[in-house]
Amino acid sequence: MPPRPLRLFRSAADLLLPACCLGLATLLAPCCCLAGGGPENVLLVVNQNSSESLTVANYYTRLRQIPPQNVLYLDWQGDPAQISGHTFRDKILKPTLETIDRRKLSAQIDYVVYSCDLPMRVNFQDFFPGEKFPKQMRPIASITGATYLWQVVLQEEPTLMGLNTNWYVPDAGVQDLARCAEAANAPTQGFRGRYAWRRGGKREADPSKGPRYFLSCMLGVRHEMGNTVEEIAHCLITATSADASRPRGTFYFARNKDVRSTTRHKCFDAVAAALREDGAMAEVTTGMLPKAAQDVVGLTTGFRKQDVAGAGMRILPGAICDNLTSFGGITDKDLGQTLLTSFIRAGAAGASGTVTEPLAIQAKFPLPTIHLHYFRGCSLAEAFYQSVAGPYQLLVVGDPLCQPWADPPDCDAFNLVDDKLVKGPLEIKPRLSSAAGLCELYVDGRLQGALPRGGKISLDSTKLTDGSHEIRLVAVRNDPIETRGRFTVRVDVRNTAAEPIALSSTPERRVGVDQTLELRVDGDASRYVIQQNSRTIGQAQGTPAVLRIEAAELGQGPVALAAEDPVSGRRSAPIWVWVE
């Protein structure tokens, strides 16, 4: 049975979506991405055997302009909920790390992000056969926590289950591990996967000086109690719309007598005061939820079970909503608690929950300072991981790149325009706004180097294949958070007399999920491979060269396709097709 059509825009509420995402023509057109910690720093992992995983990845790739080589399609056919430690290490983590290395992305990947329909829970008991752990150290981790702590997973170290394994957290002293006691004065800083860390959030450029991490997040979870694909896609669209928007709303800290609240609520007043001092609106309320509040830009609370949808709250685009409860991240069965997916459904850009009984231990949940880091301009993932000292059981879900309070620097180059014809050397001299300290140069999504302010570089186009290439300039703000802004163009390299490669489709822009898509390649090669991002979906041969493929194999939503001559490496410009 073919997958049912995906329907996203069904009511006036959908008008909250960004203008560049409302219509087919505009969603398929180039769209500027303002958020920092950007798409070139993401490796997106997709289950190629799940149409839902493909669909979610299609939306995210388009919304965030993820480079094609930054998408990894895994042949995952295992359990969708829980796997063993060795299975995770050998079938998911190692292929991910090997892909980063093989594609020469090691210098730039900061985020490992999972689409839906990959296992959310990892049981590491097989790493330690016969060993019994205290109940506060159950060897069960989330996929995002295990990925963040990738080095200790590879080494099979029991420190994976420690309460102070995340040294990205500033001043993560023992006073906050059991209960939150002092957190308001935490400094805020950005994250790079190549940085090493010493205790207390001390950053080191030398990777031998401390552990390294990958910010990790799932774009969505489905299962029995999870979100629908429509809800996940809507979350990602609204999160993208929130970037650099500085939403006017209130950060709420809901205090009550439940141990799920008392574990953290001694810090509420101090963090709320720090937010107000920084210019935000923050309120400490009594109860489980700020019922009827119409301006929720952030929420920290603790309770077992509440009707989030019936609370009358309006959660604004970009909000992080965090609830401390035992089973908030278990979506494959009903254990009678409010799940993180309830907040995603209600409009949050990100939420989290533990995937096994964690006990009421502060170190396993975000400190209230998560909202302070977020308001200061960090990405959603940076805010989460800067706040959790022992993240191994915490499943983080949502858009990791969402950055509502970012102030990205501007950059461009006067001689770079779309479809520019390039022969021989191309001199690039970036123009940066005053906030930027340097500019990174990416060609086809791969980091080429960094230029200081006022610097220039001569790009030798003869070292590139003829055809379409993306040039991306990324300005990095000169401050501890290192917020990033980008400028992207696509140029046409022509250093030989070879005929350009052109890809077209029938139907041209829209195709039903139950229809066949015909792809035609015009050029002078005898054979072409057709790729969806980094995945080869088939070959086209003949004159003209044609490939017919069932649209359902691509997933729904906006799909990027390109043709490549496997002999010369020449590529066509990408085309976008909407599968509906």
Side-chain angles (χ1 to χ4, degrees):
M1 178 181 294
R4 65 185 179 87
L6 181 66
R7 304 295 183 194
L8 274 181
F9 311 115
R10 295 170 294 186
S11 69
D14 288 324
L15 295 178
L16 294 173
L17 304 184
C20 70
C21 298
L22 283 174
L24 170 66
T26 46
L27 184 54
L28 296 186
C31 181
C32 180
C33 178
L34 293 176
E40 57 280 341
N41 308 119
V42 169
L43 187 81
L44 176 59
V45 183
V46 188
N47 179 359
Q48 68 179 27
N49 298 311
S50 162
S51 61
E52 291 81 6
S53 188
L54 290 168
T55 296
V56 169
N58 288 342
Y59 274 94
Y60 198 65
T61 299
R62 182 62 198 138
L63 289 165
R64 289 299 184 186
Q65 294 185 317
I66 307 293
Q69 66 174 1
N70 289 40
V71 185
L72 168 61
Y73 293 89
L74 282 183
D75 182 16
W76 179 255
Q77 301 181 48
D79 192 305
Q82 178 169 304
I83 55 175
S84 70
H86 285 114
T87 300
F88 167 73
R89 184 194 63 189
D90 297 339
K91 301 297 184 181
I92 296 179
L93 182 60
K94 281 187 174 180
T96 297
L97 298 175
E98 289 164 359
T99 296
I100 292 171
D101 184 60
R102 184 175 63 255
R103 297 182 186 175
K104 300 180 180 179
L105 302 175
S106 300
Q108 67 191 74
I109 296 300
D110 305 329
Y111 299 72
V112 173
V113 178
Y114 297 98
S115 187
C116 64
D117 289 4
L118 286 157
M120 63 182 180
R121 194 166 54 243
V122 185
N123 188 339
F124 283 100
Q125 186 64 61
D126 58 327
F127 274 22
F128 316 103
E131 189 166 348
K132 293 185 178 180
F133 293 92
K135 57 184 179 180
Q136 69 269 24
M137 291 181 63
R138 290 183 179 91
I140 297 176
S142 71
I143 189 173
T144 57
T147 302
Y148 184 79
L149 299 169
W150 63 275
Q151 286 185 319
V152 294
V153 170
L154 291 181
Q155 296 159 4
E156 299 191 17
E157 293 182 357
T159 51
L160 170 71
M161 288 86 75
L163 297 182
N164 196 8
T165 55
N166 179 13
W167 293 357
Y168 177 41
V169 177
D171 300 321
V174 294
Q175 74 273 12
D176 282 331
L177 296 184
R179 291 177 181 269
C180 188
E182 183 179 346
N185 296 320
T188 298
Q189 57 189 326
F191 178 96
R192 299 306 301 266
R194 64 175 181 263
Y195 292 154
W197 298 90
R198 292 186 290 115
R199 286 188 186 276
K202 306 298 190 298
R203 192 169 72 191
E204 290 282 354
D206 184 348
S208 68
K209 297 293 186 180
R212 293 164 54 212
Y213 311 109
F214 283 125
L215 300 174
S216 189
C217 183
M218 291 198 84
L219 297 179
V221 288
R222 294 192 320 120
H223 306 124
E224 178 184 345
M225 306 296 293
N227 293 117
T228 64
V229 174
E230 290 92 337
E231 289 169 345
I232 296 168
H234 192 273
C235 167
L236 300 177
I237 292 169
T238 55
T240 303
S241 77
D243 284 349
S245 65
R246 303 195 67 82
R248 294 290 296 170
T250 302
F251 293 93
Y252 288 94
F253 302 87
R255 174 185 286 150
N256 57 72
K257 295 180 179 180
D258 194 304
V259 67
R260 298 168 179 85
S261 174
T262 59
T263 300
R264 299 190 288 188
H265 74 205
K266 286 185 178 179
C267 288
F268 286 0
D269 290 317
V271 174
L275 279 163
R276 288 191 288 267
E277 186 175 340
D278 282 0
M281 292 186 288
E283 184 177 341
V284 179
T285 64
T286 300
M288 307 292 184
L289 292 167
K291 294 185 177 181
Q294 298 299 295
D295 63 343
V296 179
V297 293
L299 171 64
T300 290
T301 185
F303 56 79
R304 181 179 181 275
K305 184 75 172 178
Q306 287 286 304
D307 181 7
V308 174
M313 299 183 299
R314 182 182 174 216
I315 298 175
L316 301 185
I320 292 174
C321 293
D322 178 52
N323 176 44
L324 191 159
T325 192
S326 295
F327 306 128
I330 298 179
T331 60
D332 56 325
K333 49 192 168 185
D334 187 357
L335 296 177
Q337 297 192 7
T338 296
L339 304 181
L340 67 89
T341 50
S342 297
F343 293 101
I344 298 295
R345 187 173 298 114
S352 66
T354 46
V355 296
T356 189
E357 173 58 70
L359 305 181
I361 298 173
Q362 161 62 68
K364 297 183 179 184
F365 297 89
L367 291 160
T369 48
I370 184 174
H371 304 296
L372 194 58
H373 298 307
Y374 205 33
F375 182 73
R376 288 171 176 169
C378 282
S379 70
L380 184 144
E382 287 174 325
F384 263 106
Y385 286 101
Q386 224 165 158
S387 308
V388 187
Y392 81 102
Q393 291 178 337
L394 191 72
L395 182 68
V396 180
V397 176
D399 181 356
L401 295 181
C402 185
Q403 202 168 13
W405 289 276
D407 186 10
D410 295 323
C411 66
D412 65 7
F414 75 92
N415 62 334
L416 287 181
V417 294
D418 272 322
D419 301 320
K420 179 183 178 70
L421 186 64
V422 176
K423 294 183 178 181
L426 173 64
E427 185 175 278
I428 301 173
K429 186 174 182 179
R431 297 184 294 192
L432 307 179
S433 61
S434 59
L438 58 86
C439 179
E440 295 175 344
L441 170 65
Y442 294 79
V443 177
D444 296 328
R446 183 175 290 117
L447 178 64
Q448 304 297 308
L451 306 173
R453 170 178 291 281
K456 62 182 179 180
I457 188 171
S458 181
L459 179 66
D460 184 359
S461 72
T462 64
K463 294 183 178 179
L464 303 175
T465 59
D466 276 11
S468 179
H469 294 274
E470 183 199 81
I471 296 178
R472 187 177 300 205
L473 302 178
V474 177
V476 182
R477 194 175 182 87
N478 188 24
D479 65 14
I481 299 176
E482 299 178 319
T483 305
R484 304 155 73 78
R486 54 199 44 80
F487 171 77
T488 303
V489 297
R490 185 164 287 278
V491 300
D492 186 9
V493 174
R494 299 274 188 91
N495 286 305
T496 72
E499 183 180 342
I501 298 172
L503 177 65
S504 59
S505 69
T506 304
E508 184 178 1
R509 294 175 70 82
R510 290 180 183 266
V511 60
V513 70
D514 56 351
Q515 291 182 297
T516 299
L517 181 67
E518 181 178 287
L519 299 169
R520 169 175 168 158
V521 189
D522 291 297
D524 57 4
S526 61
R527 180 172 63 93
Y528 302 91
V529 294
I530 311 298
Q531 293 184 318
Q532 177 186 15
N533 296 312
S534 63
R535 178 175 73 134
T536 297
I537 60 171
Q539 297 188 18
Q541 301 183 69
T543 306
V546 173
L547 171 69
R548 293 178 178 85
I549 186 170
E550 298 305 311
E553 296 180 26
L554 306 173
Q556 295 186 59
V559 176
L561 301 169
E564 179 178 307
D565 173 3
V567 177
S568 67
R570 292 179 295 131
R571 289 175 65 87
S572 71
I575 64 170
W576 288 89
V577 177
W578 186 281
V579 180
E580 58 185 3

